[in-house]
Amino acid sequence: MRVRPDVSVVVIAYNDAARLPRAVASSLAQSLGGVETVIVDDASTDGTGEAADRLAAAHPGRVRALHLPVNSGGCGRPRNVGVERSDGRYVMFLDSDDLLDRHACLNLLSAAQETGADLVSGLCDRVFLDVPKGSKDRVRPWYPWLYQRSAVYGSLEENPDLLYDTLSTNKLYRRGFLEDGALRFVERLHYEDLLFSAEAYMAAARTALIPHRVYNWLVRDRQVMPSISNRRDELANFADRLEIHRRIDMLFELRGADGLKRAKDAKFVNHDLLLYLRELRDRDPVHRARFLDLAAGYLAGLDPVVFETANPLAAIAAFLVKEGDRDGALAAAEYLPGGRSDLRARLAERDGRIFWGGGPPRGDLGRRVLDVTDFGFHMCPLTELRPAAVVTRLEMRGGRARMAGHVLNPLDRIPRGASLSASLEFRDRRRDARRARVPAEIVHEGGRLEWRAEFDPRARVRPIGFVDPVWDVRLRVKVDGEEIVTRPGESAGTGAAGGPDLRGVGLPVRPRLTRLAGDVLRSYVTEGGHLAFALATDDPRTRRAATAVARVAGSPPARTGWRRARRLERSMRRTLASGRTKAAVFNRVLTRLPVRRGLAVFESHLGLHYSDNPKYIYRELRRSDRPVEAVWSYASSAKGFPSDAKLVKRGSWRYHLALARAEFWIDNQGYPEGLCKRPETTYIQTWHGSAYKLMGLDQPLMKSGPASDRTKLARMVDRFDCFLIRSGHDADTLAKGLGVRAELLPAGYPRNDPLVNGVDGDPELAAEVAALRRSLRLDDGRRAVLYAPTFKTGPKGRPVKLMEPPVDPARFARELGDEIVLLVRPHYLCRANLPPSAARAMRDVGDVADATLLLLLADALVTDHSSIMFDYALLDRPIVLHLPADGEHDTGYFDLEEHAPGPVTRTEDELVAALADLDAAGSAHAARRRAFAARFGEHDRGTAARTVVDRYFGERSAHGSHRNR
């Protein structure tokens, strides 16, 4: 008597004779013993039926083969037949081009028996076969956040997010559950999984999830016949998806499940619609128009709440499809925040808010959905904004290539008076370091930048041949020294139908290796809409030979060898560039080199900019004409650093070599961990502010944290030879908290010398302050008030990225704007969230490297518990401490309110009142402010830089040399 199987695996196949045996093998290899495999051949024409019969004959009792007489055109019919003709107590589904995990049936069945669930679902991994093995992008879990832990749900309402995973193949179904509910797949429609899963979720008394992988969905992008789910270029495909969604809508409506329908619709906006929109650029205009009409018709019936609950960019794309702004919709669908893609959409400002699209949003819903203020487009660096570049001309004429186009200028972030330069860059896709640059002209034209270039491609672009067949194009634009890099291409939403045809234009070139490699770079457009070139040949006499050579070069052994060589090259580069390698070489090799007398390495805020105490020590050294060789480190950009010093990129090999040979290290924060300072080097640690907040070993988290954190801090601090302090307070708090055992030099802060001395005797500094005043447009008689708080932390203890102004910009402009300009200075860990419309009364000064200049020109200071209050008090000008009652206030070394150098405000109203009468506030707190300055800046006498230089660099001699210590 035949024993009833525990699980029946229904394998459906159509014209897949080559892959069917592999899928069936994954079912036969299950670690659960009682598994039967039922193959349903959907009237294949390629031998799949014969392959199924052979498998059944080879495994009698374990494999059965069923054959449909007529092809069903989808997955529904063969799956239904498989359910009806199988015997297992539980049922699973497997597609012939995929694989089951070895323990899939065992893990799913165990969960079903333990929980009594009708339906058990496990993790599905998408395996991209076209991606090399070992690449992090090869395996991508399907909605992994659903499967972080085991869970059991009594209804779909308990977790509507289950609607994101509507696959039928990573699930186990109890047969009685399927029969009692008459659950079957819809036939003659694609995407039957979506409806079947929704019905199953709704019908299940219990649904269980397990965090184990059960299914491997094998994806091959480059195949002649894509799977049904990947045929998104067919309008009928999308029409079927919409019909399935309408049937799910009807199911939820009949059950009165309005909340589930909204959750499903949000998933449609976040996932289903985006899949198609991101590929729509490559479709012809007729297809695009029909698709968008279909989508708009369905979206018009959604509850408006869905557009506010879906992911912001997906919601914008869906809303604009519904509203008919198709270019804006496609730009939103394609945009990836964080500088990972080009910004193709226009932006508009209304009432201090930033909106997606060029026109004003219609209605309250439009204003809420299209509001992208929180994305920070109006304040993020241009390098992150990445405005899109469009190619409007590409041709060969008279032996020269002519290219032209324009660059988006959202919110007029690039002012008309900016200094502009540009270049086109051709870049070998395989070897990023191989580049060829072509100068380009660029000018302001209307609301965008127009660019053009003319060049001889034979002289400018020299491929090697064979090894560099594909070249991408970049447009590099410099705006006042800041560089924007973007990829030119087609305009948003138009594809090949808008503007010139960018496909098939040939640029003649001369490969360095041989003409057999090609003699022309042929243009094409990538899937992302960007312009690229492929090496080809136009000479019929060499095309055949070139094809033969390319066939050899592209053979599997050659490709394997190439991939291995590239992996080895990348591995070696990563190893040589790693901080660990550089630290090891520094400690074992570089520090054995002789010290260079007079070599001093300067660094401020980890190389962020030229500023703070190191800047003013450097200026004193330069003024005193001591023979010091100065090296400044920079973290990302060398802009703003002194031209008369040697500049090295922080973390580079040149940086490590300079530190190893330096006689002096001078910084205000800390050189890289793991670098052991040699005894011959003197480390002058200036630090960057007196302490109100608990520091180092005084912090509760440091006290209770792992000993390794305290050990790491001790290693960093033990390198100091000198530590500058401004007062006894610094010695008792900052130095003690950090565990400083070096010499405490009571010289005050070099950056504060100008605050004590003024700028009259320092023409260079006076010129800097005057230039800053002009750039900030502060010559209209209004007072300049500096708002400079410290950073705030979020729920996970990380700094909040956006800093809001202390007063609503519109209110500030209305009530204080005629008398005051507010200079908003965010902490360097965050950015100021100021809309462009606030510019009349508020200025973002976050990019001003040297805070001392801001202090000098500010008539008053507003801060919280930032250490900037200790410095500004030296100027004896009004200070307001704004400490909102609902804000974040650190425990400090003293009672801030008791010693406050000015009034304390808690609300926006109180702050506005204090700023409206600054003179009264300044007079009332003058005595407290001076006592505050005397207590916390007792050593700031205006001689700090000179004291440090004389103490460590010796006195000047008559011959310009310095006397050693």
Side-chain angles (χ1 to χ4, degrees):
M1 180 178 179
R2 183 172 181 265
V3 178
R4 186 180 186 185
D6 290 318
V7 177
S8 293
V9 176
V10 176
V11 184
I12 63 171
Y14 173 69
N15 283 356
D16 203 12
R19 293 180 292 191
L20 176 62
R22 184 182 59 181
V24 171
S26 75
S27 179
L28 291 170
Q30 288 298 297
S31 56
L32 180 69
V35 176
E36 76 162 350
T37 305
V38 179
I39 306 171
V40 184
D41 167 35
D42 196 7
S44 298
T45 59
D46 72 335
T48 297
E50 291 81 355
D53 290 336
R54 288 194 296 270
L55 289 166
H59 304 280
R62 298 186 64 194
V63 178
R64 285 189 287 147
L66 307 176
H67 305 277
L68 299 186
V70 179
N71 179 257
S72 63
C75 302
R77 175 64 179 161
R79 283 178 181 159
N80 290 338
V81 170
V83 171
E84 294 161 3
R85 300 284 295 276
S86 60
D87 298 325
R89 294 184 297 113
Y90 289 84
V91 178
M92 279 195 75
F93 300 105
L94 172 62
D95 292 344
S96 61
D97 53 351
D98 297 332
L99 299 173
L100 291 178
D101 185 83
R102 172 167 167 72
H103 303 294
C105 292
L106 177 62
N107 288 331
L108 290 168
L109 181 62
S110 298
Q113 293 173 337
E114 290 173 7
T115 64
D118 297 318
L119 163 62
V120 185
S121 186
L123 180 65
C124 168
D125 274 351
R126 289 186 298 164
V127 183
F128 289 79
L129 302 179
D130 296 321
V131 176
K133 291 182 179 180
S135 170
K136 64 179 181 179
D137 294 325
R138 182 176 172 87
V139 179
R140 306 171 201 173
W142 182 254
Y143 294 110
W145 43 273
L146 286 172
Y147 296 97
Q148 292 180 348
R149 61 187 63 86
S150 297
V152 180
Y153 302 103
S155 68
L156 182 57
E157 282 86 353
E158 293 182 13
N159 187 6
D161 283 349
L162 291 176
L163 290 170
Y164 277 88
D165 183 5
T166 51
L167 300 177
S168 64
T169 48
N170 61 334
K171 297 172 176 61
L172 181 79
Y173 308 88
R174 184 171 60 83
R175 180 175 295 278
F177 164 66
L178 297 178
E179 300 298 341
D180 295 343
L183 289 173
R184 291 294 187 270
F185 291 89
V186 65
E187 299 181 11
R188 306 187 194 285
L189 281 175
H190 299 319
Y191 302 106
E192 66 293 322
D193 277 19
L194 278 67
L195 178 58
F196 179 82
S197 295
E199 291 174 331
Y201 284 141
M202 288 290 289
R206 284 187 178 181
T207 298
L209 270 60
I210 61 174
H212 307 293
R213 182 186 63 204
V214 299
Y215 198 83
N216 294 287
W217 178 0
L218 306 186
V219 182
R220 188 181 293 277
D221 292 330
R222 296 188 290 270
Q223 55 184 341
V224 177
M225 180 58 69
S227 64
I228 291 172
S229 60
N230 286 329
R231 297 176 196 169
R232 290 188 287 272
D233 58 336
E234 302 174 4
L235 283 172
N237 179 289
F238 184 60
D240 278 3
R241 189 185 283 266
L242 293 182
E243 176 59 26
I244 290 292
H245 273 276
R246 290 189 175 95
R247 296 192 184 194
I248 299 173
D249 295 340
M250 188 180 300
L251 168 69
F252 289 150
E253 184 177 344
L254 291 173
R255 303 288 181 88
D258 294 339
L260 289 177
K261 181 183 183 306
R262 286 192 291 269
K264 187 275 301 179
D265 289 341
K267 181 260 183 181
F268 173 82
V269 169
N270 290 337
H271 174 76
D272 301 53
L273 183 63
L274 280 186
L275 286 176
Y276 292 85
L277 288 179
R278 286 173 175 166
E279 297 180 2
L280 203 57
R281 172 182 298 278
D282 295 329
R283 312 299 181 222
D284 65 76
V286 173
H287 176 104
R288 270 198 302 274
R290 290 179 178 174
F291 170 86
L292 291 168
D293 286 341
L294 285 171
Y298 183 74
L299 291 168
L302 299 190
D303 187 327
V305 173
V306 170
F307 297 104
E308 298 186 72
T309 56
N311 297 335
L313 284 169
I316 289 171
F319 182 80
L320 292 180
V321 168
K322 181 176 76 72
E323 294 295 307
D325 182 356
R326 295 170 178 183
D327 286 358
L330 295 186
E334 295 170 349
Y335 185 73
L336 300 173
R340 294 179 292 160
S341 65
D342 297 340
L343 175 63
R344 299 177 182 272
R346 295 174 61 197
L347 303 174
E349 184 197 352
R350 298 286 187 279
D351 302 322
R353 308 297 293 177
I354 309 301
F355 297 95
W356 190 274
R362 290 186 293 177
D364 292 339
L365 178 63
R367 282 189 288 273
R368 292 193 297 271
V369 173
L370 301 180
D371 190 331
V372 291
T373 308
D374 290 343
F375 279 84
F377 293 119
H378 57 294
M379 61 184 177
C380 71
L382 291 174
T383 51
E384 291 184 20
L385 193 62
R386 283 184 59 177
V390 174
V391 178
T392 58
R393 182 183 186 186
L394 173 61
E395 64 179 357
M396 280 295 301
R397 180 176 295 180
R400 297 180 68 79
R402 289 176 168 83
M403 297 178 64
H406 56 77
V407 180
L408 198 67
N409 186 16
L411 300 171
D412 293 324
R413 288 289 309 276
I414 303 173
R416 286 190 171 274
S419 172
L420 297 176
S421 63
S423 63
L424 277 175
E425 181 180 82
F426 290 78
R427 180 184 299 184
D428 176 4
R429 185 176 293 177
R430 288 180 175 176
R431 291 177 176 82
D432 192 59
R434 293 202 67 240
R435 306 175 185 182
R437 288 200 180 181
V438 175
E441 298 178 18
I442 188 164
V443 294
H444 260 287
E445 188 69 37
R448 60 194 187 190
L449 308 179
E450 297 284 347
W451 61 270
R452 63 177 180 268
E454 182 178 331
F455 59 97
D456 179 359
R458 294 181 181 87
R460 288 286 184 175
V461 186
R462 295 296 306 277
I464 295 175
F466 295 123
V467 298
D468 50 1
V470 180
W471 290 71
D472 292 315
V473 182
R474 300 287 191 275
L475 178 68
R476 292 181 172 271
V477 180
K478 283 192 175 181
V479 181
D480 291 333
E482 184 178 5
E483 188 172 60
I484 309 169
V485 182
T486 187
R487 297 186 64 181
E490 296 174 329
S491 59
T494 60
D501 189 354
L502 303 184
R503 298 159 177 82
V505 178
L507 306 185
V509 292
R510 292 181 294 181
R512 298 177 187 275
L513 188 61
T514 171
R515 287 177 60 87
L516 287 177
D519 54 12
V520 64
L521 285 175
R522 183 79 59 199
S523 68
Y524 72 98
V525 178
T526 69
E527 291 182 359
H530 299 118
L531 179 65
F533 290 86
L535 191 61
T537 179
D538 275 347
D539 188 345
R541 295 172 297 177
T542 60
R543 188 175 297 143
R544 182 176 300 175
T547 301
V549 173
R551 186 180 297 117
V552 173
S555 65
R559 288 201 304 269
T560 300
W562 172 253
R563 283 196 296 267
R564 287 176 178 172
R566 288 288 291 154
R567 282 198 296 269
L568 178 61
E569 178 188 3
R570 285 194 295 266
S571 176
M572 292 178 65
R573 284 185 178 181
R574 283 195 298 267
T575 300
L576 290 173
S578 70
R580 179 177 298 180
T581 299
K582 289 173 180 174
V585 173
F586 177 93
N587 294 328
R588 299 174 187 175
V589 179
L590 299 182
T591 51
R592 298 179 183 274
L593 298 173
V595 168
R596 291 179 62 173
R597 305 297 293 175
L599 176 60
V601 178
F602 292 83
E603 185 170 287
S604 178
H605 294 301
L606 309 180
L608 191 61
H609 36 54
Y610 173 59
S611 66
D612 211 80
N613 293 316
K615 169 184 175 178
Y616 290 90
I617 294 175
Y618 168 76
R619 292 174 77 244
E620 178 64 25
L621 280 168
R622 193 179 58 188
R623 270 199 304 264
S624 65
D625 199 28
R626 284 173 168 82
V628 173
E629 181 184 356
V631 173
W632 272 91
S633 85
Y634 64 92
S636 57
S637 171
K639 180 183 178 182
F641 284 83
S643 58
D644 55 356
K646 182 180 180 181
L647 306 182
V648 296
K649 187 174 178 63
R650 192 175 198 268
S652 67
W653 280 110
R654 292 176 61 209
Y655 171 80
H656 285 81
L657 179 61
L659 285 175
R661 303 199 63 186
E663 184 181 3
F664 301 100
W665 291 1
I666 305 170
D667 93 317
N668 65 352
Q669 198 155 338
Y671 288 106
E673 180 195 6
L675 303 186
C676 299
K677 184 186 72 68
R678 60 200 301 173
E680 303 95 326
T681 300
T682 299
Y683 189 167
I684 303 171
Q685 173 56 260
T686 72
W687 207 245
H688 52 273
S690 298
Y692 166 73
K693 295 181 290 185
L694 303 181
M695 299 296 295
L697 300 171
D698 292 337
Q699 295 175 312
L701 287 178
M702 182 67 79
K703 290 180 179 178
S704 61
S708 59
D709 289 348
R710 296 186 289 275
T711 302
K712 175 182 175 182
L713 176 63
R715 282 199 303 264
M716 296 279 285
V717 171
D718 285 348
R719 299 183 297 184
F720 302 166
D721 294 301
C722 164
F723 191 82
L724 300 191
I725 59 172
R726 306 179 57 215
S727 64
H729 171 78
D730 284 358
D732 296 336
T733 58
L734 179 60
K736 182 179 177 182
L738 294 175
V740 175
R741 295 186 288 183
E743 174 191 9
L744 301 183
L745 184 62
Y749 277 173
R751 72 184 187 192
N752 289 343
D753 289 350
L755 305 183
V756 177
N757 301 327
V759 300
D760 291 342
D762 190 337
E764 181 182 4
L765 186 62
E768 286 187 84
V769 175
L772 180 59
R773 181 180 294 276
R774 287 192 301 273
S775 69
L776 296 175
R777 307 185 306 282
L778 298 178
D779 295 323
D780 57 4
R782 289 183 292 174
R783 286 184 169 183
V785 174
L786 178 64
Y787 175 58
T790 190
F791 65 89
K792 295 181 180 180
T793 55
K796 296 183 179 180
R798 297 174 181 172
V800 176
K801 294 296 185 182
L802 295 183
M803 187 199 79
E804 301 295 333
V807 180
D808 176 74
R811 179 184 182 185
F812 189 95
R814 184 173 61 253
E815 299 186 26
L816 301 170
D818 292 338
E819 302 294 331
I820 294 175
V821 176
L822 191 69
L823 307 180
V824 181
R825 168 79 171 186
H827 190 276
Y828 68 86
L829 294 175
C830 55
R831 298 173 184 162
N833 189 11
L834 295 182
S837 60
R840 189 184 79 83
M842 292 184 177
R843 310 275 197 274
D844 181 356
V845 293
D847 60 350
V848 177
D850 189 356
T852 299
L853 305 179
L854 292 170
L855 297 182
L856 287 167
L857 60 78
D859 297 299
L861 172 72
V862 178
T863 187
D864 48 12
H865 47 264
S866 169
S867 65
I868 200 169
M869 60 184 167
F870 298 110
D871 304 312
Y872 193 76
L874 297 171
L875 289 166
D876 196 23
R877 299 173 188 171
I879 298 175
V880 178
L881 296 183
H882 185 53
L883 306 172
D886 58 349
E888 171 189 322
H889 306 301
D890 291 329
T891 301
Y893 283 115
F894 59 92
D895 187 329
L896 182 56
E897 293 191 46
E898 180 183 346
H899 298 277
V904 176
T905 60
R906 299 290 187 184
T907 66
E908 183 175 302
D909 290 340
E910 291 177 359
L911 178 57
V912 169
L915 292 177
D917 198 358
L918 272 176
D919 291 335
S923 299
H925 294 82
R928 292 169 60 88
R929 185 170 61 249
R930 289 161 190 158
F932 189 86
R935 177 184 178 186
F936 297 107
E938 61 178 307
H939 302 314
D940 280 315
R941 306 182 189 92
T943 58
R946 188 166 68 249
T947 299
V948 172
V949 169
D950 289 346
R951 169 71 178 84
Y952 288 99
F953 293 86
E955 299 177 1
R956 290 175 58 194
S957 71
H959 302 290
S961 63
H962 69 277
R963 189 176 67 234
N964 294 329
R965 302 184 303 279

